[in-house]
Amino acid sequence: MPKMKAAIFVEPGRIVLDEKPVPDVGPLDALIRVTTTTICGTDVHILKGEYPVRKGLTIGHEPVGIIEKLGSAVQGYKEGQRVIAGAITPSGHSNACLCGCHSQDGAGTAHGWKAIGGWKFGNTIDGAQAEYLLVPDAMANLAPVPEGLSDEQVLMCPDIMSTGFSGAESGKVRIGDTVAVFAQGPIGLCATAGAKLSGATTIIAVDSIAKRLEIARHMGADHVVNFREQDPVEAIMKITNGRGVDVAIEALGTQATFQAGLSVIRPGGTLSSLGVYSSDLTIPLSAFAAGLGDHKIITTLCPGGKERMRRLMDVVAAQRVDLKPLVTHRFKLDDIEKAYDLFANQRDGVLKVAIVP
């Protein structure tokens, strides 16, 4: 049985490069040879034991690759074709999918719904930090890469770009809105770009790292707030003349950013939450206006599927957004343990790493 290299979860604190069999291909599957992938903040949650997965699982959910083999029932694709697959791989036929909730895909359940069910790679099935990746329901999830786009240009589409943009989309950012984005890591930077594309005319980016705030301006931020230097709630209320923002996007997953986001939205405003939380949250009474402020709190899991991927790659191809600054470091798959050490400890100004064979 042929073998491949893969980054495997061993136990909390240990993801190691090891060998495992190349996956068999079922009728509706596709096997892709991974040409570029990356490490996500969610992978770090897995590494730290903050998000549980089974031991022996291959990690990663952001693949760019070439079709190596197609299942017998897969139509519309050809071997040798460059493709991406979203971090979310919906079946396309569950009740959740047919209601438009692809990320909560419940295929195989009696009622057709499962929280976070669309996230399979590196969660419930083997993921993308390997030489080969098995893509389930290939006809719902494989998106051909347009000619002229490099691997790194589309590397953010499977998750980071899709998730960041969804913060603005779920928050229903409108033309002329004022938006605050808390945390300018890769997802927050994409949320900033998504808010601009959605028509926001005042965008306030919050972080503490000067380089990230500089990139936030490149992505469309009109104001930047360094929370180490000033209270972000006070700063945002001053910028908005006490009105507050129409939409606050939380892109980190902490009590502090969640609470700050809730504290700066105007009456009737929306807190759009993208963060992965590792503990219970509390809602401050004053920010919540005793439950009478007509506020909306919405959470979003990265949208996936081939049509979502096509649209995002079209945005890149049309040069509506430039995500090249997000890839700050590059590693071979053989060195992925070093890449994890760098990324998990946020050294050397890392934003995203590109992992190649």
Side-chain angles (χ1 to χ4, degrees):
M1 183 177 292
K3 300 279 190 177
M4 66 175 185
K5 297 174 185 176
I8 297 170
F9 175 76
V10 178
E11 61 186 2
R14 287 187 66 204
I15 290 175
V16 302
L17 188 69
D18 206 343
E19 284 193 339
K20 62 193 322 180
V22 174
D24 291 329
V25 180
L28 292 173
D29 302 332
L31 183 70
I32 67 172
R33 175 169 54 84
V34 179
T35 54
T36 309
T37 188
T38 184
I39 299 172
C40 179
T42 307
D43 300 330
V44 175
H45 284 291
I46 291 171
L47 173 65
K48 293 179 178 180
E50 295 169 347
Y51 184 90
V53 299
R54 63 175 170 83
K55 294 180 180 180
L57 187 75
T58 301
I59 304 305
H61 50 262
E62 298 161 277
V64 184
I66 296 170
I67 297 176
E68 184 79 6
K69 186 177 181 180
L70 291 169
S72 59
V74 177
Q75 300 178 357
Y77 299 89
K78 59 185 179 181
E79 292 174 0
Q81 191 172 17
R82 287 181 69 221
V83 292
I84 65 172
I88 303 302
T89 51
S91 65
H93 60 75
S94 68
N95 288 16
C97 288
L98 295 174
C99 284
C101 296
H102 303 95
S103 301
Q104 315 305 326
D105 181 20
T109 67
H111 43 72
W113 297 83
K114 183 180 179 182
I116 322 178
W119 173 30
K120 301 180 180 76
F121 292 145
N123 182 24
T124 58
I125 65 173
D126 279 340
Q129 292 167 15
E131 292 180 290
Y132 294 94
L133 172 71
L134 188 71
V135 179
D137 301 298
M139 288 187 290
N141 291 296
L142 287 183
V145 177
E147 291 291 332
L149 292 184
S150 69
D151 278 17
E152 287 194 9
Q153 282 179 288
V154 300
L155 181 59
M156 300 302 117
C157 296
D159 181 2
I160 301 302
M161 183 182 180
S162 186
T163 301
F165 279 22
S166 73
E169 292 166 313
S170 294
K172 300 190 183 304
V173 173
R174 299 181 299 174
I175 293 171
D177 270 356
T178 297
V179 177
V181 183
F182 287 85
Q184 294 297 301
I187 288 177
L189 289 167
C190 287
T192 296
K196 180 181 179 181
L197 284 173
S198 297
T201 50
T202 303
I203 302 171
I204 306 162
V206 181
D207 206 283
S208 65
I209 300 173
K211 181 62 177 177
R212 293 188 177 191
L213 292 173
E214 178 185 332
I215 297 173
R217 286 195 181 276
H218 174 75
M219 294 295 176
D222 302 286
H223 304 270
V224 297
V225 174
N226 187 325
F227 68 79
R228 301 282 186 199
E229 298 174 356
Q230 54 186 322
D231 180 273
V233 174
E234 292 180 2
I236 290 168
M237 297 308 288
K238 182 176 181 180
I239 291 169
T240 61
N241 293 317
R243 173 184 182 272
V245 301
D246 299 289
V247 181
I249 301 174
E250 194 289 321
L252 185 60
T254 68
Q255 173 67 39
T257 47
F258 177 86
Q259 183 168 325
L262 191 60
S263 298
V264 300
I265 56 176
R266 60 163 172 78
T270 299
L271 172 58
S272 180
S273 174
L274 299 175
V276 178
Y277 300 96
S278 301
S279 61
D280 290 343
L281 293 170
T282 59
I283 295 178
L285 183 63
S286 59
F288 198 48
L292 303 175
D294 288 330
H295 298 126
K296 303 172 192 69
I297 300 174
I298 185 164
T299 65
T300 306
L301 175 59
C302 167
K306 66 182 182 183
E307 173 62 7
R308 175 69 170 184
M309 297 300 104
R310 180 197 68 78
R311 288 173 175 270
L312 295 177
M313 288 190 289
D314 280 356
V315 171
V316 174
Q319 300 182 2
R320 295 295 194 269
V321 66
D322 176 18
L323 301 180
K324 291 191 295 292
L326 271 60
V327 180
T328 55
H329 295 74
R330 294 160 182 84
F331 291 86
K332 292 285 190 180
L333 180 61
D334 285 341
D335 297 319
I336 195 167
E337 292 176 43
K338 295 180 181 177
Y340 262 102
D341 182 61
L342 173 78
F343 186 75
N345 292 289
Q346 289 292 291
R347 296 196 307 270
D348 195 28
V350 66
L351 279 172
K352 290 289 282 185
V353 299
I355 308 293
V356 299

